Amino acid sequence: MKEKTILKLKLNTDPRWVNIAEKNIEDILVDHAWCEQKAASTGISMIIHYPEKTRLVAELTDLVAEEWGHFERVLLELRKRGYPLGRPRKDEYVVQLLAHVRKGGARERQLMDQLLVSALIEARSCERFKLLWQHIADQELSKFYYELMVSEAAHFVSYVDLAKEYCDPAVVDARLQELLEIEGEIVTNLPVRDDRMH
C-alpha cells in the first residue's frame, strides 16, 4: 500500500515511533482501544446531528459497527496479554485537528470538515498500522494490524466520498488539501510518544 498515493498524507511517521511502540505495546494497545471507541462515538454523533442525510446514516451505521468490532478485538488482544484496559488518554493530535473544523456557516460546510478530519484520522491510523504490521516482532499482532490497516484505508475513502456526496467535489478536494497540510504540520510539531497511537 502506497500511503501517499491512496491516503495522500504529506508526511510519513517518524520511523522511531514503531520502535518505541513495540517496547510499550501495553500502552499502545490501551490507547488504540480508546481510539476505536472514539471513532465509533464520532460516527454516532454525526448520525445524530445529520439524520436527514440518508446515505450518511446508512454508511456510518456500518462504520460504527465495524469500529466497535475493532474496539472489541483490541480488548481481546489486551486480555490475551494480561493487560487491563486502562483509562482513556487525551489525544492531542485529534484535538488539534478538530480545532480546524469550521463552526457556523452552512451545515454542509461543517459536515464536510467533520468528515474530512475523520478521514485524516483514519489515514494516519492506517499509516501507523502499516508500520506495526511490517515491523513488529509479534506475528499475531502483525497480522492483526494488517487487517486493521486495510479497514482504515477503506474508512478514509468512505469519509471523503461522503463529503463529496453533500458538497461540491472540487470544494472538497481543495479543503482536503488544506487539511492535509495542516495535518502534516501537526504531526511535525507533536513529540514522538511511547504511549499513543497518534
Side-chain angles (χ1 to χ4, degrees):
M1 180 182 294
K2 298 177 180 177
E3 299 95 335
K4 287 192 174 182
T5 300
I6 297 172
L7 305 177
K8 308 178 188 302
L9 294 172
K10 300 293 185 184
L11 182 76
N12 287 332
T13 290
D14 186 317
R16 295 174 297 168
W17 178 80
V18 73
N19 297 321
I20 64 173
E22 186 168 23
K23 293 173 185 174
N24 296 277
I25 199 64
E26 179 180 357
D27 283 327
I28 291 297
L29 284 170
V30 168
D31 193 57
H32 179 190
W34 287 113
C35 287
E36 299 292 357
Q37 179 271 323
K38 291 168 190 171
S41 296
T42 295
I44 291 169
S45 178
M46 280 194 270
I47 290 169
I48 291 169
H49 283 94
Y50 302 96
E52 76 281 5
K53 310 287 189 190
T54 304
R55 180 182 167 191
L56 179 144
V57 170
E59 291 194 18
L60 290 190
T61 297
D62 290 341
L63 188 145
V64 166
E66 191 168 351
E67 299 285 22
W68 193 254
H70 292 171
F71 175 70
E72 292 177 323
R73 289 187 66 186
V74 182
L75 287 183
L76 179 59
E77 295 301 329
L78 283 164
R79 284 198 296 270
K80 284 179 185 176
R81 292 159 177 79
Y83 302 143
L85 174 57
R87 300 185 65 81
R89 298 91 179 268
K90 182 178 181 180
D91 192 333
E92 190 59 37
Y93 166 80
V94 172
V95 168
Q96 290 189 33
L97 265 180
L98 287 173
H100 295 278
V101 173
R102 294 169 294 187
K103 304 297 188 288
R107 289 182 81 239
E108 281 71 21
R109 188 185 77 166
Q110 188 168 348
L111 173 60
M112 175 183 67
D113 279 6
Q114 290 172 334
L115 289 167
L116 292 181
V117 164
S118 293
L120 290 179
I121 294 168
E122 298 287 338
R124 183 58 64 184
S125 295
C126 178
E127 191 241 7
R128 298 277 166 99
F129 293 168
K130 181 180 179 184
L131 287 173
L132 291 168
W133 161 52
Q134 290 180 324
H135 299 290
I136 199 166
D138 184 322
Q139 290 304 301
E140 189 176 2
L141 277 181
S142 174
K143 181 177 182 292
F144 173 67
Y145 278 113
Y146 173 81
E147 293 169 2
L148 267 62
M149 173 192 74
V150 173
S151 178
E152 301 296 83
H155 292 172
F156 167 82
V157 172
S158 294
Y159 275 124
V160 174
D161 285 350
L162 280 172
K164 290 181 178 181
E165 173 79 11
Y166 300 111
C167 294
D168 182 334
V171 173
V172 172
D173 284 337
R175 181 59 174 159
L176 178 58
Q177 289 305 311
E178 292 174 1
L179 289 170
L180 280 162
E181 294 291 344
I182 290 167
E183 196 270 352
E185 292 174 7
I186 290 170
V187 171
T188 298
N189 294 321
L190 282 174
V192 178
R193 294 286 299 266
D194 64 2
D195 59 347
R196 298 287 192 277
M197 184 57 74
H198 299 122

